Amino acid sequence: MSKKDFRFVKKESNLDLEQARVSLTYWQDVWRRLKKNKMAMFGLLIVASIVLFAIFGPLFTDFDYKDQELLLRNLPPKLEVYEVEDNVFIHRTEAYNLIEFNEEGYVVDLLEQVTIDEANKIYYYSYIKEFEYLLVEGGAFPLPAGVTLDAEAFYSEVWGIALINVLADDGDNQVIIHYVHPNSPFLSGNQTNGTVADTIEGLVVDQFVFTDDISNPDLADNYTIKSDRTALFMILDMEKTLPPNTEGIRVLKGKLSHIKIFSEDILILDFGLRGLDSSEKPEGYEDVEYIITYKGKETTKITDTFSNKTYPWGTDFLGRDVLTRVMYGARISLLVALIATLVNFLIGITYGSISGFFGGSVDNIMMRIVDIINSIPLVLYVILLMVVLREFVIDVEIFGKNRVIFNGADGFTTIIIALGSVYWTGMARLVRGQVLSLKEQEYVLAARTIGVSNRKIIYRHLIPNALGPIIVSMTMMIPSAVFTEAFLSFIGIGVSAPQASWGTLANEALGGITRYTYQLVYPSLAIAITMLGFNFLGDGLRDALDPRLRKG
Amino acid sequence: MGNYYIKRLISVFFTIILIATITFFLMRAIPGGPFTRERPVSPAILENLEKKYNLDDPLIIQYLNYMKGLATFDLGPSFKILGTTVNELIVEGFPTSAKIGGLAAILIVSVGVPIGIISALKQNSIIDYIVMFGATLGVTLPSFVLATGIIYIFAVKYELIPPTGLGSWKGYIGPVIALSGYSLSFVARLTRSSMLEVLRQDYVRTARANGISEFKVIAKHALKNALIPVITYVGPMIAAILTGSFVIEKVFDLPGMGTYFVDSVSNRDYTVIIGMTVFYAAFYVVMVFLVDVAYSLIDPRIKLDS
């Protein structure tokens, strides 16, 4: 062979041999593998939506988790209604409350029983006009000269209103408005929760013929106030809510909400036919159980079924919105799970890495302790801890004031401490095992030779390299914490009312499972979906972090 | 080998003592005792009560007395349920819990393991997917959701089983299924994955190459090894479900151990709490011990001495 047989290869052509693929870091590679796993991405999607639901859900609802309206209790998501007048739909609750809905399914008004004829099974209902005042300024309204009130009336100079007790037909005490001062704030205050008129002024004029005769004490009949308090106590209560305020006097919202005024249109619910055989019923009413009479028109059949728009998931036994409660429950359940998992993570990682790194008798003793803790049924100890912590209140005197820094009765902190302090042993074992094998690696030896401190070796070299299995174990720990929290709340030692986690919601719904199944279905579904999401995600992460572990 | 068992038994013994000790002092650390009422009891009555139950002794004496009782299986009187001892409560509650738990354990092993095996053998078939879907669902559904679901569908809607109580054999169906749901799914998943791993091993291939019938390969060679993780899980699980599930007993309204335990915790009934915890823990520790023994029987390679 001569030299001519050879020729120089151009230098650039070497480039063809180079890998075209971008090199990925370990975590980028994990992400790539995770993205390929459909179940894991599905799980991630579920987890992300549940978290979004918990964070942003409550912003989109009109209710608070503790808002209750007893008359609206146990309203189902699907409503059966009677159309008593054109576009006036009435829903009858199990407790014989009547609620008016409009055709779109929103609550319009509540009707309250005014008279009950128990013997003939006839209930009479009326619309309630219930008011709350905001920013009503009180003042000094002395009784004008020339007006004489009944001797039994109680007059409030702050509010310019006189109330009097009268005996109703049924013997119950009733409070009626006896007199209103012409300048009384009741006539000008902004009404924030009423249905007929925007201001009390308009309402008073339209609805109750409250015109020039405003100072006439005779108008009492139109102002029946339904209250279980007497006139004197109502007056005292109203005046008590006034803080010393230079800008004027404010009524706190809700303080005057006891005042209910009934309108004159009476709706009659006759259920005398209920439970009778069809042969005993009068002709034409063979399959009728309830007769609703409104403005002279009888309605006997459920006319329509539509979804409840005001409460899309219904209301619970205290008339709280189930959707709102499930959203707030998501916050509590997820937060408890997350914090408890983080606490477990910190304790477990510290304990496990120290035990594994130092080895020998340190390891032996530390692992025996873990063994002992593990041989104790942990659920029992969580229950015991919950009960123990609930009794503790730690208050410390700071700057001469007693400040409560820990109150066990607040179930939220208690449950986090109980869950966080018990379930770290699994994590400790896992980290120890990882550290035991990792510490023999050359890079640890290299670190030692250049004099890196033990602490730094653990936190800079060992733990980051053991992170894969740790993360998988954490993803699995979150659903089990949700599970345990739900379980504890379910047996009645979880977060305290009115706060609610999913477990509490399920527990509360248990009593009415036969009639109000929906109350149980929604929180249960929420728990199950969350568990499913985290499980899928955890399985996927395990496969992505360590492809060798992939099963099947 | 025998030496090992003796060592293990001694450690079982010490663990039980330790658990009793921890629980004893934990309970005494709680402010408020069994006689704390909403309306305070008069000091004279309180003194008499404490005298009657020896609560006025120094703590260490109380502790030693309790331990003495424990040694003779006397768990002491209940503070809240008058004239009843803890032993009586356990005797009363345990049979109910054990009946439900025993049936559930049988169901778990006799259904969970076979469907796990079948699912592994028919990997990636329709059967496998159905089993895996069901098992994933079973693992994610909390027991109270399952229990209430069963009551709603089978007791309320179709009235096939009574909603509460154990009057007839039908009454057992609901609690047993609800109790076994999670573990059954878990066992099926565990059996499947460990079976799949074992089936890939060389010795299984060798056995097949030797012309041994498929049944024998599975039953004799593969299964033994595949069952080891299952046994690890099943042992403590049996202890847990035999001693009663609070949730199932609450939902189905059964007078079992779980109900007594939860009641005693909220009543601050010291002796009942400690007694039940010790009973449960003893059961648990013994089951773990039995699992270890089962290991060595199934797999002689596992040497317990080392």
Side-chain angles (χ1 to χ4, degrees), chain B residues 161-240:
Chain B
I161 55 171
T164 55
L166 293 173
S168 67
W169 63 271
K170 280 183 182 169
Y172 286 90
I173 298 176
V176 169
I177 293 180
L179 190 55
S180 51
Y182 175 87
S183 302
L184 193 130
S185 314
F186 196 88
V187 165
R189 273 164 66 120
L190 203 62
T191 314
R192 175 180 177 272
S193 65
S194 97
M195 195 71 190
L196 282 177
E197 208 161 290
V198 170
L199 285 177
R200 278 202 296 266
Q201 301 278 327
D202 289 344
Y203 73 90
V204 172
R205 198 180 51 199
T206 315
R208 282 191 180 137
N210 280 343
I212 299 174
S213 73
E214 185 65 19
F215 178 79
K216 242 183 171 177
V217 172
I218 306 293
K220 206 173 167 198
H221 298 272
L223 197 57
K224 260 190 180 178
N225 281 311
L227 281 186
I228 287 175
V230 180
I231 288 172
T232 317
Y233 173 76
V234 167
M237 176 211 80
I238 289 178

